[in-house]
Amino acid sequence: DSGVTQTPKHLITATGQRVTLRCSPRSGDLSVYWYQQSLDQGLQFLIQYYNGEERAKGNILERFSAQQFPDLHSELNLSSLELGDSALYFCASSPDFGGSTDTQYFGPGTRLTVL
Amino acid sequence: AQSVTQLDSQVPVFEEAPVELRCNYSSSVSVYLFWYVQYPNQGLQLLLKYLSGSTLVESINGFEAEFNKSQTSFHLRKPSVHISDTAEYFCAVNGRGSQGNLIFGKGTKLSVKP
């Protein structure tokens, strides 16, 4: 158990809908990262927050957005969902600002299925 | 920018046999290298990482990886695998001085058979 929690574990929805994925980092960790894992693209970095502020952005679609709240939990919002958005979404956390040497601790993931 | 290539998508091996999972990277700057493991239905866990110093790094469960700068490789090895090592293994890289987001390879599924 990494100490990172993600809810829900599974989510099934229809095209065009909007969903919110939630992540609670390990106690004391200030950085949160979101990754998407799909069969064709593999594991891709989406976005990182540090202490409430966006710190780095990867291949995140404009239909997706995220935020980190004062209690440090984070939410990833996916809107206008398409079939291709079906994937496993991981949240990870690290203690500090997310330097390139930091170990990231991953949650169990949320499996999103878009029908 | 960095990229990672894991040459084998699947590696089947018998229990107690040695295994090598290959990883090559590309980067215009110095790098930090990581191996993560994903057991079935779980998130990723750090197995080991190379930051600096000795080019041979070891994990607590018998895996080791060697950073080879000239060959831009970071292959993962274990001299004798167990059934419990069955998992997917991801090599990842981060450029020195860059942000903390990891660049992952496509993963190698290790299947250990009795």
Side-chain angles (χ1 to χ4, degrees):
Chain A
D1 184 357
S2 67
V4 178
T5 60
Q6 290 186 248
T7 56
K9 286 190 72 171
H10 302 277
L11 201 46
I12 302 175
T13 188
T15 55
Q17 295 299 304
R18 172 190 168 95
V19 297
T20 298
L21 313 183
R22 182 187 168 103
C23 168
S24 293
R26 292 187 326 153
S27 176
D29 283 1
L30 298 176
S31 278
V32 169
Y33 310 77
W34 286 97
Y35 291 87
Q36 179 193 60
Q37 186 180 35
S38 62
L39 284 175
D40 51 346
Q41 297 290 331
L43 258 168
Q44 296 229 309
F45 167 72
L46 296 177
I47 198 165
Q48 179 203 354
Y49 279 81
Y50 169 69
N51 206 20
E53 299 290 326
E54 182 185 303
R55 176 164 167 81
K57 216 166 186 176
N59 299 322
I60 188 166
L61 300 171
E62 284 193 15
R63 300 183 285 108
F64 296 1
S65 65
Q67 54 185 323
Q68 186 180 26
F69 295 87
D71 66 353
L72 300 176
H73 91 272
S74 178
E75 293 181 356
L76 179 67
N77 301 295
L78 316 176
S79 62
S80 302
L81 285 167
E82 301 174 359
L83 296 177
D85 297 327
S86 295
L88 197 50
Y89 291 83
F90 285 109
C91 168
S93 73
S94 69
D96 209 342
F97 62 88
S100 48
T101 61
D102 286 0
T103 295
Q104 294 181 24
Y105 297 87
F106 282 76
T110 292
R111 183 168 295 282
L112 174 65
T113 303
V114 183
L115 301 176
Chain B
Q2 294 83 42
S3 67
V4 177
T5 302
Q6 291 185 247
L7 296 163
D8 306 299
S9 60
Q10 297 191 52
V11 173
V13 65
F14 287 106
E15 195 174 17
E16 296 183 7
V19 71
E20 177 180 81
L21 307 183
R22 296 180 291 171
C23 171
N24 287 89
Y25 69 91
S26 172
S27 176
S28 56
V29 299
S30 297
V31 295
Y32 302 115
L33 293 155
F34 305 78
W35 275 100
Y36 278 82
V37 57
Q38 185 178 25
Y39 297 104
N41 301 313
Q42 294 186 29
L44 284 76
Q45 303 172 33
L46 179 70
L47 193 59
L48 47 77
K49 63 182 179 182
Y50 170 76
L51 302 182
S52 64
S54 172
T55 56
L56 186 67
V57 290
E58 297 176 352
S59 73
I60 57 172
N61 57 353
F63 283 94
E64 64 179 31
E66 185 158 23
F67 169 57
N68 188 318
K69 188 175 180 179
S70 62
Q71 297 188 8
T72 61
S73 68
F74 191 55
H75 300 332
L76 183 69
R77 301 183 182 95
K78 189 171 186 180
S80 175
V81 293
H82 303 288
I83 298 286
S84 60
D85 293 324
T86 294
E88 189 158 18
Y89 292 78
F90 293 90
C91 182
V93 66
N94 204 337
R96 194 165 294 191
S98 65
Q99 305 289 358
N101 47 288
L102 294 166
I103 308 299
F104 284 92
K106 291 284 180 94
T108 298
K109 287 185 179 174
L110 175 64
S111 176
V112 182
K113 304 173 188 304

